[in-house]
Amino acid sequence: MTHVPKTFTDSFGRIIRDLRISLTDRCNFRCLYCLPETEEAANFFRTRRSETATPIPYVWKPRVNLLTYEEIERVTRIAVAHGVEKIRLTGGEPLLRRDVPALVARLAAIDGLKDLALTTNGFHFVEQAEALRKAGLRRVTISLDSLERDNFTKLTGRDALDTVLKAIRLARDLGFHPLRVNAVIIRHLNDHEIESLAEFARAENIALRYIEFMPLDSRRAWQMEHVVPAREILARLQARHALEPVVADSKSATATRWRFADGRGEVGFIAPVSEPFCGHCNRLRLTADGKIRTCLFSLHEHDLKAQLRDGANAADDETVAAWLRGVILHKEARHHIGEEGFQQPDRPMSAIGG
Ligand code: SAM
Ligand code: SF4
């Protein structure tokens, strides 16, 4: 009898431990690095002559195409039974989906799931925070790219800085821990805020993650010169603060982390462009319309929804697991950002699930 491994392992021996599930491709923000559809975003990229490619003509998926909560729960159970330990709910903006606490409660009850987290822009967090917490959510990541009202509006397309700050403080007060705040840094846009974002992390005692801008924007306007490499940010912070490295919990952690030697708060760097971590990648993505992506930069998707839904031919759990095993075997070795011939995926970050 052939030996079938209990875990989902790719052809490079990487075991999948982390599944990111997008709840919707829709969003109420228009971040300049994700869905740059505002006049401000157009102006920013036009003046930097980075309108070189055709924008992605993105059409929102009809709701009937979205996986139901029952389907998401089923996939999660199958994944956890095969070694997945961590689920992150994302989008688009996940809190635009109806009754997310109901989904959280279903997932939190799955035996063997060690970590359940949510990434949100924070706009609808305040009204749902307590219900999410009661349902069993322990961890949230909230995006915050600017502390200046006008710049925040330019970056996100929404005049919502105060709402997002309220969300971050409430998340901390309700005990979501560790509380992460994500900031995508773009040269000539918010790189002057690097130091103030670090001060914010200290003052509020939170973990801030600086993220490098990746070529996943719907305008396809990304250029290497917009990227502020993590090591440049670190050098700027070290010029002001004594920072001590924090040992990562696992080899596949995406962020390199530093704490302030004199007290509260932490900063971290997610540097997929300047310091790729593909060799340790243990992630898999499920889009809101039920496609499996084995890499953020995959050019092909695999139709899991067809496996789950195909009427009388709908697969049982074992068949779904065998199908997933076959898909995962072909997980890409690495991305090719910055190389000759690099091709941006057809869908932007909001539709893939960040
Ligand atoms: N809407 C939620 C939010 O913004 O937090 C969740 C989805 S969003 C796609 C997840 C994360 O991806 C956010 O922290 C966002 O800053 C990041 N992101 C989006 N586009 C990106 C890009 N082109 N490069 C790097 N990070 C990006
Ligand atoms: Fe911004 Fe997240 Fe919406 Fe993309 S999905 S536009 S990053 S809020």
Side-chain angles (χ1 to χ4, degrees):
M1 222 175 87
T2 45
H3 170 70
V4 181
K6 203 54 191 140
T7 51
F8 291 142
T9 307
D10 74 8
S11 60
F12 302 97
R14 296 173 299 189
I15 300 172
I16 301 299
R17 299 286 187 203
D18 180 339
L19 174 63
R20 307 203 161 198
I21 303 177
S22 170
L23 299 188
T24 174
D25 55 343
R26 290 164 200 250
C27 193
N28 53 340
F29 280 20
R30 290 291 177 272
C31 297
L32 193 139
Y33 46 78
C34 182
L35 289 172
E37 291 164 4
T38 59
E39 201 41 48
E40 297 255 41
N43 288 340
F44 176 80
F45 288 119
R46 201 177 298 121
T47 54
R48 280 161 186 86
R49 292 195 197 84
S50 55
E51 310 270 67
T52 48
T54 324
I56 302 171
Y58 196 70
V59 182
W60 307 118
K61 296 285 169 197
R63 277 180 219 285
V64 43
N65 285 13
L66 301 187
L67 289 187
T68 63
Y69 285 177
E70 286 75 14
E71 288 167 330
I72 291 174
E73 182 188 353
R74 182 178 172 209
V75 175
T76 304
R77 274 187 200 287
I78 295 171
V80 170
H82 290 82
V84 166
E85 297 174 340
K86 178 173 166 185
I87 298 285
R88 179 172 293 277
L89 303 176
T90 181
E93 175 44 42
L95 295 182
L96 292 184
R97 188 89 187 245
R98 200 169 307 146
D99 203 2
V100 178
L103 174 66
V104 166
R106 282 166 178 258
L107 302 186
I110 294 177
D111 234 12
L113 179 61
K114 293 190 180 153
D115 186 13
L116 176 60
L118 169 87
T119 304
T120 171
N121 62 27
F123 192 83
H124 287 299
F125 182 75
V126 169
E127 64 266 27
Q128 302 190 50
E130 283 194 41
L132 287 166
R133 183 99 191 133
K134 276 203 192 105
L137 188 70
R138 295 286 167 265
R139 262 187 354 100
V140 286
T141 298
I142 300 181
S143 298
L144 174 78
D145 310 305
S146 171
L147 291 162
E148 297 168 5
R149 183 173 170 190
D150 288 349
N151 214 26
F152 183 98
T153 308
K154 185 172 175 181
L155 267 149
T156 62
R158 287 295 287 250
D159 182 5
L161 174 61
D162 286 346
T163 311
V164 174
L165 289 176
K166 257 189 218 136
I168 292 170
R169 289 177 179 135
L170 178 65
R172 191 199 44 207
D173 296 346
L174 287 178
F176 284 97
H177 185 81
L179 173 60
R180 301 249 165 88
V181 169
N182 277 353
V184 178
I185 303 296
I186 298 183
R187 200 174 297 284
H188 305 307
L189 187 60
N190 62 346
D191 53 341
H192 64 284
E193 298 198 54
I194 286 169
E195 286 82 1
S196 48
L197 284 162
E199 290 300 344
F200 176 76
R202 273 157 71 78
E204 303 285 337
N205 195 19
I206 52 166
L208 182 84
R209 296 282 180 266
Y210 296 96
I211 304 181
E212 289 178 351
F213 179 23
M214 291 180 276
L216 289 168
D217 58 300
S218 64
R219 196 174 272 275
R220 290 195 172 120
W222 178 94
Q223 300 273 312
M224 195 57 98
E225 9 341 345
H226 302 314
V227 178
V228 184
R231 84 182 72 84
E232 181 181 327
I233 301 178
L234 176 62
R236 273 172 60 172
L237 297 181
Q238 282 175 323
R240 285 192 171 203
H241 302 284
L243 291 170
E244 294 169 346
V246 179
V247 181
D249 312 331
S250 94
K251 243 182 22 181
S252 48
T254 49
T256 48
R257 298 162 51 194
W258 301 77
R259 73 167 73 87
F260 295 96
D262 62 350
R264 300 151 24 111
E266 178 189 306
V267 288
F269 302 92
I270 301 180
V273 180
S274 68
E275 296 162 50
F277 35 80
C278 308
H280 298 300
C281 179
N282 64 358
R283 278 171 288 287
L284 190 70
R285 287 182 160 79
L286 175 59
T287 66
D289 58 339
K291 305 289 192 312
I292 291 286
R293 294 182 65 93
T294 46
C295 173
L296 259 181
F297 295 93
S298 292
L299 297 175
H300 305 288
E301 299 181 337
H302 307 268
D303 194 356
L304 176 61
K305 186 164 53 119
Q307 300 289 315
L308 302 174
R309 270 198 200 170
D310 219 355
N313 295 324
D316 59 26
D317 286 1
E318 263 179 43
T319 311
V320 172
W323 180 89
L324 279 168
R325 190 173 288 116
V327 164
I328 288 161
L329 211 50
H330 298 289
K331 181 170 164 66
E332 296 80 344
R334 62 187 184 90
H335 70 61
H336 296 276
I337 300 174
E339 294 172 25
E340 185 88 28
F342 167 79
Q343 216 181 319
Q344 185 172 333
D346 287 343
R347 298 217 261 178
M349 184 68 133
S350 63
I352 294 172

